């Protein structure tokens, strides 16, 4: 087994090779820009780590890991356009730095490039990877549509929200890990188990993001704390607060999530107070722990050395307790 830093360094070395200057610059410069904005690189690292865990040379999984990362960033470019978001990872979004048409076209090119990267694999391996990737890409789009639909609904349920984040976020984590397993040519049972592990870990990851958005440290979180509150997003925290709050607090939340004040500080403070008074913050942390444990329960069934299971568990624990 290699370290997380070794996976990251190998991936970034390859990323530097594909983010070179190409013509037309107005198509490729925005692609290079978004791919080099940073981020946790969670999905490609997990693809490489999984290939290693199942006994393959992890570098064989770099093209698949790159495909996942390019696709993920394509989805961010288009999501930012849909949300009219000005910032991504503290920098101007692609459509803000250039324009909407550039964002759409560069995003389209990234989607095509993600599929081209998978062409480096042959035969049945390529067929399995491509089929998984296509299914995953469509499910991510479905998750995004659910997210858009929820913006205009006031009857979103917690099961609906969990399905949305499963499709929009967790499925791509699961697919990245299954790709690593496919490249390692492990058993179909192991492929399916690691997919289940990744899906539950991905849900816990998104719930942790929800929690950090409200209660994270502004110095380490990397985004504006309270961003979801400002945008009136119906996160797990919000839905749990509605479930656990008094009628007066429910009415207050409904009212606060229907306005866009010029100064959001009072709104954020009031909403966070309701989250804490209702114990929605505690319930969210419990849900993060529950989904992480669901992922860990899968490890007992995996046919891999105990040390490799421990590496997966340590990575999951880090995700559950991260501050960024």
């Amino acid at each position: 087994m290699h370290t997380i830093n070794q996976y990251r360094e190998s991936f970034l070395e390859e990323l530097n090779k594909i983010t070179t200057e190409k013509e037309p610059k107005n198509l490729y410069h925005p692609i290079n820009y978004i791919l080099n904005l940073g981020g946790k690189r969670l999905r490609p690292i997990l693809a490489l780590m999984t290939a290693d865990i199942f006994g393959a040379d992890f570098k064989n999984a770099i093209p698949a890991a790159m495909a996942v990362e390019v696709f993920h960033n394509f989805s961010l470019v288009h999501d930012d356009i849909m949300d009219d978001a000005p910032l991504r990872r503290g920098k101007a979004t692609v459509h803000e730095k250039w324009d909407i048409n550039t964002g759409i076209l560069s995003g389209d090119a990234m989607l095509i490039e993600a599929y081209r990267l998978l062409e480096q694999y042959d035969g049945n391996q390529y067929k399995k990877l491509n089929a998984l990737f296509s299914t995953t890409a469509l499910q991510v789009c479905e998750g995004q549509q659910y997210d858009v639909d929820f913006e205009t609904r006031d009857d979103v349920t917690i099961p609906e929200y969990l399905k949305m984040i499963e499709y929009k976020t967790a499925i791509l984590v699961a697919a990245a890990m299954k790709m690593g397993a496919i490249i390692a040519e492990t058993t179909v049972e192991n492929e399916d188990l690691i997919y289940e592990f990744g899906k539950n870990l991905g849900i816990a990851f998104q719930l942790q993001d929800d929690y950090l958005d409200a209660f994270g440290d502004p110095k380490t979180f990397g985004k504006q704390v309270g961003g979801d509150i400002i945008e009136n997003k119906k996160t797990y925290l919000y839905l749990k607060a509605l479930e656990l709050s008094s009628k007066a607090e429910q009415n207050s939340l409904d009212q606060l999530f229907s306005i866009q004040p010029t100064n959001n500080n009072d709104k954020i403070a009031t909403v966070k107070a309701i989250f804490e008074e209702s114990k929605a913050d505690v319930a969210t942390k419990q849900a993060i722990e529950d989904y992480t444990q669901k992922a860990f329960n899968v490890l007992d069934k995996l046919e891999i050395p105990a040390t490799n299971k421990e590496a997966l568990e340590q990575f999951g624990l880090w995700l559950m307790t991260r501050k960024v």
Side-chain angles (χ1 to χ4, degrees), residues 75-88 93 95-96 144 147-148 151 168 231 233:
S75 72
L76 297 182
V77 171
H78 281 197
D79 284 1
D80 287 341
I81 292 171
M82 295 174 73
D83 293 342
D84 195 22
L87 297 175
R88 168 66 61 183
T93 49
H95 72 277
E96 283 287 329
Q144 174 67 5
D147 197 20
V148 170
E151 291 177 8
K168 187 175 177 181
E231 295 174 23
K233 283 190 174 289

Side-chain angles (χ1 to χ4, degrees), residues 2-204:
H2 294 75
T3 66
I4 299 300
N5 281 338
Q6 286 173 311
Y7 301 134
R8 183 181 287 109
E9 287 169 9
S10 293
F11 176 78
L12 292 176
E13 182 180 337
E14 197 64 27
L15 182 65
N16 288 335
K17 293 178 185 177
I18 73 165
T19 53
T20 55
E21 290 295 328
K22 291 190 286 188
E23 295 289 344
K25 288 184 179 178
N26 284 338
L27 177 67
Y28 290 107
H29 191 188
I31 294 174
N32 294 346
Y33 172 78
I34 187 69
L35 287 174
N36 284 306
L37 275 188
K40 291 175 278 294
R41 312 294 187 187
L42 168 70
R43 296 155 191 84
I45 286 172
L46 283 172
L48 302 182
M49 184 179 185
T50 305
D52 198 5
I53 276 169
F54 286 117
D57 180 347
F58 77 86
K59 292 185 178 181
N60 292 341
I62 285 178
M66 193 67 66
V68 170
E69 183 70 358
V70 171
F71 174 83
H72 172 59
N73 280 275
F74 140 74
S75 72
L76 297 182
V77 171
H78 281 197
D79 284 1
D80 287 341
I81 292 171
M82 295 174 73
D83 293 342
D84 195 22
L87 297 175
R88 168 66 61 183
R89 297 167 185 151
K91 303 288 185 180
T93 49
V94 169
H95 72 277
E96 283 287 329
K97 189 172 176 64
W98 284 272
D99 53 48
I100 289 176
N101 287 345
T102 298
I104 292 171
L105 190 59
S106 294
D108 291 346
M110 291 173 76
L111 175 60
I112 295 163
E113 180 61 23
Y115 275 95
R116 286 185 59 187
L117 284 159
L118 293 180
E119 292 172 5
Q120 297 182 48
Y121 299 97
D122 296 322
N124 190 53
Q125 196 171 72
Y126 168 73
K127 185 177 179 181
K128 289 177 72 172
L129 289 169
N130 192 65
L132 172 61
F133 199 69
S134 294
T135 299
T136 303
L138 187 57
Q139 287 174 323
V140 170
C141 291
E142 290 171 359
Q144 174 67 5
Q145 186 61 58
Y146 284 133
D147 197 20
V148 170
D149 291 347
F150 291 174
E151 291 177 8
T152 56
R153 283 181 50 191
D154 57 9
D155 61 346
V156 178
T157 65
I158 287 177
E160 286 179 317
Y161 179 75
L162 289 171
K163 181 178 181 180
M164 183 273 287
I165 64 172
E166 177 184 331
Y167 278 28
K168 187 175 177 181
T169 301
I171 287 295
L172 194 56
V173 174
M177 300 196 79
K178 187 169 182 176
M179 284 181 168
I182 290 170
I183 290 159
E185 298 182 330
T186 186
T187 64
V188 172
E189 182 182 13
N190 274 345
E191 289 175 11
D192 292 341
L193 287 170
I194 204 66
Y195 182 89
E196 191 68 19
F197 175 88
K199 183 180 73 175
N200 286 306
L201 204 64
I203 293 172

Side-chain angles (χ1 to χ4, degrees), residues 85 87 91 95 105 131 157 193 208 225 237-238 247 266 270:
L87 297 175
K91 303 288 185 180
H95 72 277
L105 190 59
T157 65
L193 287 170
Q208 179 75 349
V225 172
L237 265 169
Y238 169 82
K247 189 65 179 176
D266 288 344
T270 304

